[in-house]
Structure formats: C-alpha cells, structure tokens
Amino acid sequence: MYINENFIKLPQSYLFSTVARKLREYKEKHPETDVIRMDIGDVTLPIAECVAEAMHRAVDDMTKSETFHGYGPEQGYPFLREAIAKTDYQDRGIDISADEIFISDGAKSDLGNLGDIYSPRSVIAVADPGYPVYVDASVIDGRGGDLLPDGRWSHIMYLDCKPETGFKPEVPTHAVDIIFLCSPCNPTGTVFTKEELKEWVAYARKSHTLIIFDSAYEAFVSDPEIPRSIYEIEGAKEVAIEIRSFSKTAGFTGLRCGYTVVPFELKGQDRRGEMFPLHQLWNRRQSTKFNGASYIIQRGAEALYTPEGREAIKKNIDIYLSNARYIREAMKKAGFEVYGGEHSPYVWARIEGEEDSWALFEKLLNEAQISCTPGIGFGESGAGFIRFTGFNSPENTRKAMERISKVEFNSIKGAKESSFNDVQALKAIDDLSVLDSITDRLGL
Ligand SMILES: *Cc1c(COP(=O)(O)O)cnc(C)c1O
C-alpha cells in the first residue's frame, strides 16, 4: 500500500517537546530551584461540583435498563443542543437553533475534520502566529503545497500579524476559499472588535470565502462590546462556521466536549456552480465517521447551563483573567511591549534588545526560573515574542512576576537599538512572494 505522503512532508513540531526537554535539563542541573510554569496551555482548576454530580447521575443511568443509553444521536443529545442554542445564542439575541449545533468531543477534532467537506484544492489562509492545528490539518489533507525553505507552505496564505495592527490579522486583498480566525486568539490573546469582524464578514461575502471561527476562548471576553460569537455580525450565518469548546471555558480538557455551529444558510458550490448547504454535508460526515460524544460527558456539559454551572465557570475564568491581567501589567512595568491578557488567558510580549524568542526563553529560565512559550513556535511572525499564560495559581503568578521585575534586560542597559523595522520590511517582501505563488496557481 502507499501512504499519505503529506505526513512525511509535515515537519516535526518541536515547540512543546523542546520546552519540556529544556525544563527537564534545567531541573537536573539545578534540583533545588522551583521553576514556575508560565507556559501551561492547559487549564489548572478542577471541574465544577455540579458537573461532577451530573456525571455521577449519568453513570447511574447507565446501570439501569430503563435509563441506559447506548448509541446517541451523532449530532449530540437534544438536551445539550437546546441548552446551548438558548443560553449561548438566543438569550444573547442571536438566531441559532438547536438543529444547527453539532456536539463534538472537542474543538481540535472538528477543526481537522471539517476538511472533509471542502474541496481538496481549497486555498486556506491563516493568521501568523496562530494555533498550529489549522495549518497541520490542512497539510495532512493535501492543501499545503510544498514546504518552502522559510518553513512556510507554498499553497497556504499567511496573514502576518504586526504590532501596527494590534497583532491581529488584516483582511487580505485576494480571494481565498477558507480563512481560520481565532478570537480571543491563541497565542496572542488579542480579540476582534465588532467593526473588525464586520470587515471580515463583508470580505467573506464578497469573495465567497468560508470563515472557520475558532472561539474556544469566548468565555474570557468580559466586555459586552466585544463579540463572543461571529453570528453577532449581520450576514455571518451565510459565511461562517463557529467552533467552540468546553475545554478552556469549564475545565473540560480531560473530559472532551465542544460544539460546532453550521447554520442552515451556509452554502458552498460544486464545480458547476450549483449551491449545496454545508449543514447537509457536515451532518453526513458526522453520521458516517462519528458516533457522538459520550452521554455521561454531555450530561456534565448540560450542567454548565444551570445557574450553579454559570457561576462556577465565571469563578474560574475570573481567576485566570485576573492572573492574565496581573501578568500584563507586571510585564509592561518590566519594560515589555504586551498584547492580550484582557479578554484571554494569554499574554503575548517582547522586549527591546532581546530579539530571539528562544534566547529570551533561556534568559527567563536561567535568571528568573520561569518558563514561557517561545512565540516563534507559533509562526514566523512570532519571532522575538514569548507567550505567558494565566493558567496557574494567583500565588505563583505573583511570584513569577516578582522574579521578572528583578531581571536585567538589554533594553534597560540601553545597549542595543531595535531592529524591528528591518524585520518587518523583510516580512513584507515575503508576503508578496507567497501571494504571487498562490495567485499563479489560481490563475488570478
Ligand atoms: C485549546 C484550543 C482548542 C482545542 O480545544 P479542545 O476542545 O480541547 O480540542 C482549539 N482552538 C484553540 C485556539 C485552542 O487553544
């Protein structure tokens, strides 16, 4: 048999394994030090009591023939889909029905699996830096093209996020088929305003682009003016799929549950120009390849929509958010340029005079016994940046920031001039060549 060679083309992702190895080595050399982990991309607080109770009851259901549950609906149980439609959408004035919601075992699966319903020749666009799954899953499906010497894929359009635009991607000038958007964003912690999302929706409508809107962190949005759902924007139902997860919101990273919204209005075309509802395709895809999320877990997720559940989510999110805000302010004080940390557990930062993400990682590890995630691991435009997370205890967060305040950075010594502008100029040239290779292929 022949293998899917795209797996061979895909380079190993060394980011998290390298961070782990460097931490291990440091600990072996300095067994007496306690390194504070500011790089954790996983929640640290336990699930709510009411979720645990609901799951206990669901386990008991399975022991009696009258309440036993075998295979459930592939789309998820109506009790959960209805709770989601009502609480997350209808009560907020957004017209989404339970039938447009598909329960999943998490956002990552759906982000990858959605590739089944669009053409293998689709051109995708991603923000750089970004969550690596968007690119890697597209490459596995054969949408990457060739890996270029700069580590980018010839057939993927990278939307470079720059300081001048608040580290958010800008609407491209060319048409693409699929755009992955993430707000609040992992890794930069930035959020789109209503005005910005309106521009994206207008672009998608004009250029017949499908937006895959990853809002795994929507619960971290604390300003009512900032959209939590893309469907808050008029006309978005015709162009966007929204993906959500209970992982970061409610501590479900180990339980596994999320959902995807595919509105009835959303359509794609076949080669002859005939239009088909994506809902129908996704429903067929799920019915064929997925047998639904566990009944027990869905009962647990349902409990999140009770008043106790709401309260518990808010309590945990508030802890993570206050950590992130603390990090944001402390880093600013230490001389860092910071993004995010207001509607997100993530703080994205760099400091003048330290231009290498990995060197900055080493410096913070050696001089402050703090670990972070090097921004370059999330894409080329992440060069020089590091990511800190609020997934930790308030005590550790404070202790870590106190340590940072004592580190001497080059900027303070005034030794080096910033060369950020040169870097950006080079990036702009890169952008053009990537665009050219895409437009050539598409014959634009
Ligand atoms: C964590 C994360 C996910 C994946 O969430 P699961 O539901 O646990 O699979 C998806 N998107 C982003 C941006 C994330 O950070």
Side-chain angles (χ1 to χ4, degrees):
M1 60 77 80
Y2 296 95
I3 59 161
N4 174 354
E5 289 186 30
N6 294 315
F7 281 94
I8 310 303
K9 288 209 258 174
L10 204 59
Q12 279 294 324
S13 168
Y14 292 112
L15 179 63
F16 296 103
S17 56
T18 309
V19 167
R21 180 174 53 76
K22 284 181 185 283
L23 285 178
R24 221 172 28 246
E25 287 169 2
Y26 184 83
K27 279 197 162 156
E28 276 163 20
K29 262 195 241 156
H30 309 273
E32 75 293 350
T33 59
D34 82 298
V35 173
I36 304 177
R37 300 285 301 267
M38 302 303 285
D39 62 305
I40 305 172
D42 193 354
V43 289
T44 50
L45 294 166
I47 55 164
E49 200 64 46
C50 64
V51 170
E53 282 162 11
M55 290 195 297
H56 280 302
R57 283 194 299 273
V59 171
D60 289 340
D61 286 348
M62 299 304 258
T63 65
K64 294 177 224 91
S65 44
E66 313 84 70
T67 49
F68 168 77
H69 285 73
Y71 286 125
E74 292 93 347
Q75 301 79 4
Y77 282 101
F79 61 77
L80 181 55
R81 301 168 82 193
E82 276 155 21
I84 292 168
K86 180 172 185 310
T87 315
D88 290 345
Y89 294 103
Q90 291 156 11
D91 287 355
R92 295 169 190 270
I94 304 166
D95 173 31
I96 292 288
S97 72
D99 290 340
E100 293 169 296
I101 293 166
F102 294 81
I103 309 300
S104 69
D105 61 356
K108 199 196 228 182
S109 319
D110 281 5
L111 282 165
N113 294 338
L114 273 169
D116 278 1
I117 68 165
Y118 45 83
S119 160
R121 284 194 302 276
S122 310
V123 173
I124 72 149
V126 292
D128 183 320
Y131 185 59
V133 176
Y134 313 143
V135 168
D136 291 0
S138 303
V139 169
I140 288 173
D141 287 351
R143 296 189 188 91
D146 302 311
L147 187 59
L148 304 172
D150 63 4
R152 292 185 159 186
W153 294 90
S154 61
H155 206 221
I156 289 177
M157 191 200 265
Y158 295 85
L159 308 171
D160 284 304
C161 301
K162 303 184 179 94
E164 305 89 81
T165 50
F167 242 89
K168 289 183 251 184
E170 282 186 283
V171 176
T173 47
H174 292 69
V176 295
D177 299 305
I178 320 277
I179 285 189
F180 288 91
L181 292 181
C182 186
S183 178
C185 173
N186 178 9
T188 62
T190 53
V191 284
F192 289 120
T193 63
K194 203 160 260 175
E195 286 312 308
E196 287 163 345
L197 267 192
K198 271 186 195 162
E199 276 181 48
W200 282 103
V201 169
Y203 162 83
R205 292 177 69 90
K206 199 174 90 206
S207 51
H208 307 287
T209 303
L210 168 66
I211 295 175
I212 298 180
F213 193 72
D214 182 347
S215 60
Y217 297 91
E218 53 84 24
F220 289 78
V221 173
S222 50
D223 177 348
E225 290 304 307
I226 291 174
R228 293 169 67 153
S229 164
I230 194 162
Y231 306 122
E232 289 177 42
I233 310 301
E234 214 184 300
K237 286 180 81 177
E238 279 109 44
V239 291
I241 286 175
E242 181 158 283
I243 299 186
R244 289 189 176 184
S245 166
F246 298 110
S247 284
K248 317 301 174 14
T249 307
F252 270 51
T253 49
L255 291 176
R256 313 304 308 143
C257 197
Y259 61 89
T260 289
V261 184
V262 186
F264 292 129
E265 291 90 331
L266 186 56
K267 293 193 176 86
Q269 61 175 348
D270 73 0
R271 196 164 356 171
R272 283 167 231 90
E274 196 185 332
M275 303 302 286
F276 294 87
L278 296 191
H279 187 278
Q280 193 183 310
L281 272 65
W282 183 242
N283 195 29
R284 183 60 195 264
R285 190 271 167 211
Q286 290 297 77
S287 306
T288 305
K289 293 200 193 178
F290 184 58
N291 252 335
S294 145
Y295 167 71
I296 297 163
I297 302 298
Q298 291 191 64
R299 279 294 185 200
E302 182 194 22
L304 294 168
Y305 292 93
T306 61
E308 301 80 43
R310 298 281 92 190
E311 192 53 40
I313 287 182
K314 191 178 175 310
K315 217 171 100 200
N316 285 8
I317 299 270
D318 281 350
I319 292 173
Y320 296 139
L321 275 180
S322 89
N323 287 346
R325 284 184 191 146
Y326 192 90
I327 296 168
R328 182 186 161 91
E329 294 314 312
M331 304 273 289
K332 256 199 228 165
K333 229 184 233 169
F336 280 81
E337 175 186 337
V338 295
Y339 300 88
E342 285 180 305
H343 304 288
S344 157
Y346 299 118
V347 177
W348 183 247
R350 70 173 168 184
I351 190 161
E352 223 178 298
E354 312 279 349
E355 268 122 54
D356 180 312
S357 292
W358 279 107
L360 191 49
F361 167 89
E362 299 271 0
K363 187 180 172 78
L364 291 176
L365 182 58
N366 286 307
E367 296 179 26
Q369 289 76 51
I370 293 170
S371 67
C372 60
T373 312
I376 183 79
F378 296 102
E380 281 204 26
S381 287
F385 282 83
I386 50 172
R387 188 193 73 175
F388 274 69
T389 85
F391 294 131
N392 214 321
S393 67
E395 298 73 39
N396 274 346
T397 305
R398 274 155 187 72
K399 209 154 80 179
M401 291 303 115
E402 200 185 310
R403 290 185 188 178
I404 283 219
S405 69
K406 299 198 176 110
V407 176
E408 257 195 48
F409 294 99
N410 285 331
S411 61
I412 298 167
K413 292 179 195 149
K416 268 193 194 169
E417 284 226 352
S418 161
S419 61
F420 294 148
N421 290 334
D422 299 347
V423 175
Q424 275 152 21
L426 285 174
K427 281 259 151 57
I429 294 167
D430 275 351
D431 284 353
L432 289 177
S433 60
V434 171
L435 278 181
D436 283 343
S437 79
I438 291 173
T439 45
D440 279 346
R441 274 158 199 274
L442 296 178
L444 289 172

